[in-house]
């Protein structure tokens, strides 16, 4: 029992570490938590306003209001569920050997980064949540705010999968040098599969069904669709199951690769 | 003058060669990077192809024209990634780790050094893909005047120069704010705006993307030169804008260096 | 009690060799050739607990490899390693909780936060009692004279201050086994001496087993009970520091001066005294010393005669040169 408590306390300390490090660079934090979501949303809104200007009142069966609600929520949520920073950090630790300093401590590399990642996401999300909410209220766009809590829960559940994927990718650094581009490869692939690039509704069948069967649409399409009333509760809740499958899959892959990798790991000089 | 240019040309040649040698070292990385960029290009293509399933034109262009636009975008992007992007991306980290002083003690123009130190030679593959796509899209365009291609000789470089100068402004900010990794993201947002046919935007935005945040010069202006009515004023303005931003970036860099030397102990 | 034991432990690294030049790179892109390098030949070693072991050797001699094997960062290619009764590579919590690895050339504390915050984090990682840890931090920082910068972010500290903080961090959980890789590298004399004195006192109180590598022989000569000398992946000497000095050809340092610069060159035995120089310091082997002195004292006006042991660093160098000559 004592073990469980010290595990929690330690991970809470990592959680806080991420927040403290964020606040260390104020401008950076402001840009990350406020400017980026603001600009990201602005760009999407501009783009879709432009598309509707040339296409008429509906597009693929949805109105302009529907699309605006979608493109206001989707950059916000996709920013939560995509990761560059911590994945790069993990890769860098392995790549330049600073992981040595972590391996000799009585903790796991995985928990250390998971808790920091969640701390970072929790903090920036709570600050930047005002942006989509503000936009939605100002433009009076369709959003069911009573669904927001469960949506946030599903997003943070999905973050565990995100971190599992990052961990799996980072383990490749044991085998290959400079695997940073794998992060980009994964993120671009997710860019299609999550529904960030395009609302999955306008993707032609059967591709749409295939993509929705995968866990990745929990990153954008399902939460945004449920929040804006495009999707039913059943479809949304099914997302928890696919996320769980994803977590299990990457947990197994990550652990195997990690164990093998550590054995192979030569450790860079000094 | 010519001597100086020749010297810098030789220096750049050396930079390029070392980059190529070190890129070949990490072959897995290089292969993955090619795949990544292929995915990215496919993303852009898929997005427009999907949009065109629900509409027959975006702004003033139809699907065939937007494909050509994308071809120009890919070429510009490929060149930008090949020469500049990698240097711009690494600069703010170098600042954070306090490595700028090493750059400044070299007997070469510091802006040149910072901007060109490395070439991302894996992007040569991108250029190949981009050119292939462009040739294909032009072949599908139907009626257009091949003489117009001549304008690209000036317009692509000027688009590239203004893109570089604008980005370099953001990079320079790193000198003032030690950790500016996220500030760079603002730049990407502008870049994204430049990746769409600008005729979908309202007029004031279109103007802003030309003279304030000059991102539409990279693909929109060349695409207009190929497909829209002849407009020499636009081409001239592009060159002027590029020169002006290049000059500004240089001034701002020197200002930042002065700030750096007075602020550090 | 034995704290560390290795039985035939060895480590081989495999690396890709790059062919020369641009063409070589292109060829290497498609076809790679690998070389194996033995960083540590099969090694048998026993270290008793409470010992301070100085690990010395040139770059690439295998010091870091040995430390990494002991800290569980790498596994031995062959053979066995046992530290505090554990196989380090299992990285059991119980083992990690009792040992500490300090790498002088790397930061282990967190770059962007203050040392005090870093220590609080370490206290959680090692499940330490908070108030006891605070007390310990106060004690150690005072002893190392760095308590004034506890609340400053690590990245704003000088190299010496940073190193002191790293040392504090590595001792918070009172490790029984302390692996120190170049703890004084790049530091000025004042900081070096402070760290050395601190470690001397710390050892008296806590009696941990310490393995210490250093480029500064003063560190080893003053701190270590036992000396391990490594060369080309082998331990070439394992014994007390004083025995080592006996084993090497003993050199003495003789200092003297003349009332005015020498008018012409002089030669005593095989030592040349250059023209125009007034103050001398020469090395001479113990065997030749009496003869040298008797000749020297014949010179007119000789003064300020001193005789001292040549420094440890030179002895190691000589020892290593003899060793490499043998191979």
């Amino acid at each position: 029992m004592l073990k469980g408590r010290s595990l929690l306390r330690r991970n809470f300390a990592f959680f806080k570490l991420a927040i403290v490090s964020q606040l260390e660079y104020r401008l950076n934090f402001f840009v990350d938590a406020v400017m980026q979501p603001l600009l990201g949303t602005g760009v999407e809104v501009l783009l879709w306003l432009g598309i509707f200007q040339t296409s008429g009142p509906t597009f693929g069966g949805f109105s302009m209001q529907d699309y605006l609600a979608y493109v206001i929520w989707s950059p916000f949520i996709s920013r939560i569920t995509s990761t560059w920073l911590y994945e790069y950090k993990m890769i860098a630790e392995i790549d330049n050997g600073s992981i040595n300093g972590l391996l000799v401590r009585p903790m796991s590399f995985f928990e250390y980064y998971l808790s920091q990642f969640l701390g970072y996401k929790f903090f920036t999300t709570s600050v930047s949540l005002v942006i989509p909410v503000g936009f939605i209220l100002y433009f009076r766009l369709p959003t069911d705010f009573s669904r927001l809590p469960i949506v946030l829960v599903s997003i943070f559940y999905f973050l565990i999968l995100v971190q599992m994927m990052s961990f799996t990718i980072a383990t490749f650094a044991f085998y290959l040098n400079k695997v940073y581009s794998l992060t980009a490869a994964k993120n671009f692939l997710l860019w299609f599969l999550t529904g960030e690039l395009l609302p999955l509704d306008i993707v032609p069948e059967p591709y749409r069904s295939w993509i929705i069967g995968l866990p990745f649409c929990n990153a954008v399409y399902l939460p945004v669709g449920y929040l804006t009333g495009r999707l039913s509760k059943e479809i949304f809740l099914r997302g928890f199951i696919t996320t769980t499958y994803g977590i299990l899959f990457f947990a197994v892959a990550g652990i195997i690769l990690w164990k093998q990798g550590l054995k192979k790991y030569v450790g860079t000089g000094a | 003058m010519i001597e100086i240019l020749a010297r810098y040309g030789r220096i750049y040649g050396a930079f390029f060669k070392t980059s190529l040698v070190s890129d070949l070292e990490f072959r897995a990385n290089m292969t993955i990077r090619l795949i990544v960029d292929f995915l990215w290009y496919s993303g852009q293509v898929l997005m427009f192809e999907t949009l065109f399933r629900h509409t027959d034109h975006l702004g003033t262009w139809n699907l065939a024209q937007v494909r050509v636009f994308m071809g120009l975008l890919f070429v510009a992007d490929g060149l930008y990634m090949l020469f500049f992007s990698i240097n711009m991306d690494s600069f703010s980290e170098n600042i954070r780790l306090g490595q700028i002083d090493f750059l400044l003690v070299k007997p070469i123009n510091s802006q040149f050094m910072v901007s060109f130190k490395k070439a991302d030679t894996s992007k040569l593959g991108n250029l190949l893909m981009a050119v292939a796509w462009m040739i294909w899209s032009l072949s599908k365009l139907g009626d257009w005047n091949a003489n117009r291609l001549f304008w690209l000789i000036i317009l692509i470089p000027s688009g590239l120069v203004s893109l570089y100068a604008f980005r370099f402004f953001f990079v320079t900010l790193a000198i003032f704010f030690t950790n500016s990794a996220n500030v760079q993201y603002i730049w990407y947002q502008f870049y994204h705006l430049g990746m769409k046919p600008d005729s979908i935007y309202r007029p004031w935005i279109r103007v802003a993307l030309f003279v304030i945040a000059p991102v539409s010069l990279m693909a929109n202006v060349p695409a207009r030169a190929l497909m829209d009515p002849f407009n020499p004023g636009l081409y001239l303005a592009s060159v002027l804008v590029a020169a002006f931003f290049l000059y500004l970036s240089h001034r701002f860099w020197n200002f930042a260096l002065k700030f750096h030397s007075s602020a550090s102990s | 009690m034995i704290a560390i034991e290795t039985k035939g432990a060895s480590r081989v690294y495999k690396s890709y060799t790059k062919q020369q030049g641009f063409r070589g790179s292109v060829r290497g892109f498609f076809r790679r050739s690998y070389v194996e390098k033995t960083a540590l030949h099969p090694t048998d070693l026993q270290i008793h607990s409470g010992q301070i072991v100085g690990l010395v050797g040139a770059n690439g001699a295998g010091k870091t490899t040995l430390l990494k094997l002991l800290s569980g960062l790498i596994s031995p290619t062959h053979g066995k390693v046992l530290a505090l009764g554990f196989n380090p590579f299992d990285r059991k919590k119980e083992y990690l909780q009792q040992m500490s690895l300090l790498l002088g050339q790397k930061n282990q504390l967190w770059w962007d936060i203050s040392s005090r915050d870093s220590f609080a984090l370490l206290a959680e990682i090692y499940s330490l009692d908070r108030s006891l840890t605070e007390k310990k931090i106060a004690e150690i920082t005072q002893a190392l004279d760095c308590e004034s910068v506890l609340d400053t972010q690590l990245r704003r500290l000088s190299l010496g201050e940073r190193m002191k903080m790293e040392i504090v961090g590595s001792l918070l959980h009172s490790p029984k086994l302390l692996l120190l890789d170049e703890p004084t590298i790049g530091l000025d004399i004042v900081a070096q001496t402070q760290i050395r004195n601190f470690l001397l006192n710390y050892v008296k109180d806590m009696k941990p087993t310490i393995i210490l590598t250093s480029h500064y022989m003063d560190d080893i000569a003053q701190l270590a009970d036992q000396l391990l000398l490594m060369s080309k992946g082998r331990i070439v000497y394992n014994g007390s520091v004083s025995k080592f000095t006996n084993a090497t050809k003993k050199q003495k340092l003789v200092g003297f001066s003349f009332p005015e610069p020498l008018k012409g060159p002089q030669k005593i035995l095989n030592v040349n005294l250059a023209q125009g120089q007034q103050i001398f310091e020469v090395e001479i082997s113990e065997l030749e010393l009496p003869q040298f002195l008797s000749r020297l004292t014949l010179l007119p006006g000789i003064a300020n005669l001193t005789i001292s042991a040549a420094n440890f660093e030179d002895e190691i160098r000589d020892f290593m040169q003899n060793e490499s000559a043998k191979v």
Side-chain angles (χ1 to χ4, degrees):
Chain A
M1 213 56 249
L2 200 72
K3 229 176 164 182
R5 250 193 81 198
S6 77
L7 180 81
L8 267 183
R9 280 189 49 168
R10 164 170 95 214
N11 279 283
F12 187 56
F14 300 148
F15 190 89
K16 282 191 300 188
L17 167 68
I19 299 176
V20 172
S21 319
Q22 277 298 301
L23 289 175
E24 183 59 29
Y25 299 100
R26 283 176 301 182
L27 173 84
N28 210 46
F29 174 72
F30 173 73
V31 172
D32 188 28
V34 182
M35 285 294 278
Q36 289 193 16
L38 205 59
L39 274 172
T41 312
V43 168
E44 288 290 319
V45 169
L46 277 181
L47 176 70
W48 282 91
L49 282 177
I51 290 172
F52 271 97
Q53 235 171 23
T54 53
S55 79
T58 64
F59 193 92
F62 290 94
S63 72
M64 186 166 98
Q65 255 63 29
D66 290 323
Y67 273 100
L68 287 184
Y70 190 94
V71 300
I72 284 167
W73 282 113
S74 81
F76 168 74
I77 291 179
S78 76
R79 269 182 43 73
I80 307 176
T81 53
S82 61
T83 176
W84 294 90
L85 180 68
Y86 278 90
E87 195 163 310
Y88 274 173
K89 281 191 181 186
M90 286 161 79
I91 295 173
E93 299 266 18
I94 298 175
D95 208 32
N96 64 28
S98 58
I99 191 179
N100 287 347
L102 298 173
L103 289 178
V104 296
R105 308 237 187 253
M107 61 177 190
S108 72
F109 182 74
F110 180 77
E111 63 171 319
Y112 176 70
Y113 271 103
L114 177 66
S115 296
Q116 283 193 75
F117 178 65
L118 291 179
Y120 162 70
K121 288 295 183 185
F122 175 79
F123 189 54
T124 43
T125 303
S126 13
V127 173
S128 47
L129 187 58
V130 292
I131 291 161
V133 171
F135 264 102
I136 295 285
L137 292 178
Y138 183 79
F139 289 110
R140 299 165 182 274
L141 296 171
T143 288
D144 185 345
F145 282 103
S146 70
R147 292 175 172 182
L148 191 55
I150 179 94
V151 164
L152 288 175
V153 168
S154 85
I155 289 169
F156 273 82
Y157 184 52
F158 184 78
L159 283 185
I160 299 176
L161 171 58
V162 171
Q163 185 60 16
M164 288 275 179
M165 288 194 275
S166 290
F167 178 71
T168 307
I169 285 189
T171 59
F172 279 94
F174 284 127
Y175 305 89
L176 306 164
N177 286 311
K178 315 247 173 223
V179 296
Y180 298 92
S181 41
L182 276 180
T183 299
K186 179 206 69 178
N187 284 355
F188 282 133
L189 208 58
L190 288 181
W191 189 43
F192 302 102
L193 299 177
T194 57
E196 184 192 355
L197 177 70
L198 280 170
L200 294 178
D201 310 297
I202 58 172
V203 172
E205 291 288 358
Y207 307 109
R208 180 178 171 277
S209 306
W210 292 351
I211 295 174
I212 291 178
L214 292 170
F216 310 111
C217 57
N218 288 291
V220 177
Y221 177 70
L222 290 188
V224 175
Y226 184 56
L227 204 55
T228 57
R230 285 180 178 213
L231 295 177
S232 69
K233 194 165 192 167
E234 289 72 53
I235 295 180
F236 171 71
L237 289 181
R238 227 181 288 151
F240 279 92
I241 300 170
T242 52
T243 303
T244 310
Y245 285 145
I247 290 175
L248 290 177
F249 176 81
F250 281 101
V252 172
I255 290 169
I256 292 174
L257 284 166
W258 172 261
K259 289 214 162 137
Q260 291 294 320
L262 261 190
K263 263 187 212 146
K264 209 175 136 55
Y265 180 48
V266 279
T268 41
Chain B
M1 184 67 196
I2 287 174
E3 258 169 53
I4 295 174
L5 278 181
R7 175 164 171 252
Y8 277 86
R10 274 198 309 277
I11 294 172
Y12 189 72
F15 284 158
F16 196 88
K17 208 175 138 187
T18 1
S19 303
L20 187 58
V21 167
S22 71
D23 282 340
L24 288 170
E25 191 92 352
F26 301 109
R27 54 179 174 179
N29 189 44
M30 198 153 170
T31 321
I32 299 166
R33 259 153 50 184
L34 260 177
I35 297 171
V36 169
D37 290 313
F38 180 76
L39 282 175
W40 187 84
Y41 291 145
S42 329
Q44 294 296 320
V45 169
L46 270 180
M47 169 170 164
F48 284 111
E49 298 286 329
T50 314
L51 289 177
F52 272 101
R53 287 176 152 260
H54 303 276
T55 180
D56 52 9
H57 59 281
L58 275 181
T60 53
W61 287 332
N62 60 28
L63 179 59
Q65 287 172 315
V66 168
R67 283 176 179 160
V68 173
F69 165 80
M70 277 191 281
L72 286 160
L73 175 70
F74 296 161
V75 169
D77 182 68
L79 290 168
Y80 170 74
M81 302 275 255
L82 174 62
F83 295 118
F84 301 110
S85 182
I86 191 168
N87 300 302
M88 307 286 125
D89 291 341
S90 60
F91 186 70
S92 88
E93 188 62 5
N94 286 343
I95 289 270
R96 198 177 79 92
L97 300 176
Q99 289 172 344
I100 181 173
D101 294 325
F102 297 116
L103 285 174
L104 298 182
V105 295
K106 298 275 190 314
I108 318 178
N109 177 302
S110 56
Q111 182 172 356
F112 175 84
M113 185 76 181
V114 167
S115 311
F116 289 109
K117 203 172 39 157
K118 215 172 154 351
D120 188 352
T121 55
S122 70
K123 304 297 181 204
L124 287 168
N126 293 37
L127 270 182
L128 224 65
M129 288 194 277
V131 170
W133 172 270
M134 198 170 122
I135 293 173
W136 176 80
S137 66
L138 281 174
S139 74
K140 294 273 174 184
L141 187 56
D143 108 87
W144 62 289
N145 184 349
N147 292 334
R148 294 277 193 95
L149 282 173
F150 163 77
W151 291 108
L152 299 186
I153 298 171
I154 333 168
L155 292 178
I156 288 181
S158 73
L160 211 58
V161 166
S162 43
L163 199 63
Y164 155 75
F166 186 51
R167 174 76 201 271
F168 195 71
F169 166 79
F170 284 91
V171 165
T172 309
L173 285 180
I175 295 180
F176 301 94
F177 314 105
T178 326
N179 189 347
S180 79
N182 277 319
V183 176
Q184 306 308 321
Y185 182 88
I186 297 179
W187 182 84
Y188 284 107
Q189 290 303 339
F190 283 110
Y191 194 44
H192 274 265
L193 283 175
M195 287 179 193
K196 307 290 179 312
D198 67 355
S199 58
I200 66 171
Y201 301 131
R202 282 146 208 238
W204 65 269
I205 298 174
R206 231 177 295 161
V207 174
L209 294 182
F210 194 84
V211 293
I212 298 172
V215 288
S216 60
L217 275 72
M218 68 169 160
N220 272 293
V221 172
R224 282 173 187 278
L226 273 183
M227 300 179 297
D228 284 5
F230 182 62
N231 186 354
L234 180 71
Y235 314 154
L236 181 66
S238 300
V239 175
L240 290 179
V241 164
F244 178 65
F245 271 91
L246 187 61
Y247 171 73
L248 271 191
S249 80
H250 181 62
R251 286 296 296 268
F252 187 57
W253 173 249
N254 285 342
F255 170 71
L257 288 190
K258 260 191 209 127
F259 171 86
H260 173 73
S261 57
S262 61
S264 62
S265 49
Chain C
M1 223 180 83
I2 288 168
I4 288 170
E5 189 169 19
T6 70
K7 280 189 189 142
S10 68
R11 176 72 202 196
V12 178
Y13 291 109
K14 203 169 128 187
S15 67
Y16 145 62
T17 49
K18 191 185 119 32
Q19 287 133 308
Q20 215 214 327
F22 174 66
R23 280 199 189 174
S25 296
V26 176
R27 221 175 296 137
F29 187 83
F30 297 104
R31 214 176 315 136
R32 302 230 147 158
S33 45
Y34 294 89
V35 280
E36 285 196 344
K37 193 186 157 239
T38 306
L40 188 68
H41 290 281
T43 300
D44 293 314
L45 183 65
Q46 280 194 349
I47 291 168
H48 292 271
S49 60
Q51 286 273 4
I52 303 180
V53 180
L55 188 54
V56 180
N59 288 334
K63 292 173 300 189
T64 308
T65 304
L66 189 57
L67 284 188
K68 281 183 170 173
L69 279 174
L70 293 176
S71 52
L73 290 172
I74 54 177
S75 59
T77 312
H78 295 289
K80 263 190 184 162
V81 178
L82 220 57
L84 304 177
F86 295 92
N87 172 5
F89 194 63
D90 291 341
R91 295 198 291 107
K92 288 242 168 62
K93 284 236 158 84
E94 293 77 9
Y95 174 63
L96 298 178
Q97 195 78 38
Q98 297 181 54
M99 80 88 167
S100 204
L101 170 71
L102 180 99
L103 301 165
Q105 287 147 317
K106 295 252 163 82
N107 286 311
Q108 283 166 286
L109 296 179
W110 288 264
W111 187 243
D112 289 329
I113 63 178
S114 72
S115 307
R116 198 189 292 281
D117 287 342
S118 278
F119 297 151
L121 205 56
L122 284 177
E124 296 297 344
I125 292 174
Y126 289 96
S127 323
L128 304 175
D129 180 86
R130 227 175 260 186
S131 60
L132 282 180
T133 310
E134 301 256 329
K135 242 172 84 189
K136 192 149 194 184
I137 294 169
E139 270 172 37
I140 307 180
T141 47
Q142 205 173 5
L144 279 170
D145 188 29
C146 58
E147 70 268 50
S148 60
V149 287
L150 253 177
D151 291 301
T152 311
Q153 295 92 331
L154 196 69
R155 70 193 146 94
R156 296 188 205 274
L157 299 185
S158 72
L159 191 62
E161 290 166 333
R162 219 182 288 159
M163 203 57 227
K164 288 175 182 174
M165 290 304 177
E166 293 284 356
I167 290 177
V168 181
S170 70
L171 297 177
L172 283 185
H173 58 289
S174 316
K176 282 190 193 148
L177 174 61
L178 194 51
L179 306 172
L180 304 174
D181 192 12
E182 304 282 357
T184 54
I185 196 160
L187 304 187
D188 61 46
I189 300 285
V190 181
Q192 276 186 36
T193 321
Q194 276 177 334
I195 289 177
R196 214 174 284 149
N197 290 340
F198 167 77
L199 284 175
L200 269 176
N201 284 323
Y202 181 83
V203 167
K204 266 185 221 149
D205 296 344
M206 305 296 293
K207 307 246 181 300
T209 309
I210 299 184
I211 299 186
L212 168 82
T213 76
S214 181
H215 270 83
Y216 302 108
M217 295 317 150
D218 284 347
D219 283 349
I220 309 282
Q222 290 189 19
L223 290 171
D225 310 312
Q226 186 180 347
L227 177 69
L228 282 182
L229 200 56
M230 294 194 74
S231 173
K232 297 173 183 162
R234 288 176 215 276
I235 294 177
V236 291
Y237 177 83
N238 177 4
S240 72
V241 180
S242 52
K243 263 193 207 149
F244 170 75
T245 358
N246 292 333
T248 53
K249 172 179 65 157
K250 278 195 205 142
Q251 296 285 99
K252 293 285 175 189
L253 207 56
V254 182
F256 48 91
S257 68
F258 295 102
E260 52 184 11
L262 274 187
K263 296 254 163 55
Q266 294 266 359
K267 192 170 183 201
I268 309 175
L269 299 181
N270 53 356
V271 178
N272 291 310
L273 304 180
Q275 179 182 355
Q277 200 176 329
Q278 193 176 357
I279 303 169
F280 291 88
E281 203 169 61
V282 298
E283 256 181 53
I284 199 92
S285 78
E286 209 170 41
L287 286 173
E288 291 176 315
L289 190 66
Q291 208 184 347
F292 179 80
L293 285 180
S294 63
R295 295 260 200 105
L296 180 71
T297 41
L298 292 177
L299 295 173
I302 184 100
N304 299 326
L305 186 64
T306 57
I307 301 169
S308 55
N311 84 40
F312 189 52
E313 202 153 339
D314 295 331
E315 293 185 21
I316 288 188
R317 199 190 52 217
D318 287 347
F319 186 89
M320 302 290 278
Q321 270 166 1
N322 290 341
E323 278 303 309
S324 58
K326 275 185 218 161
V327 173

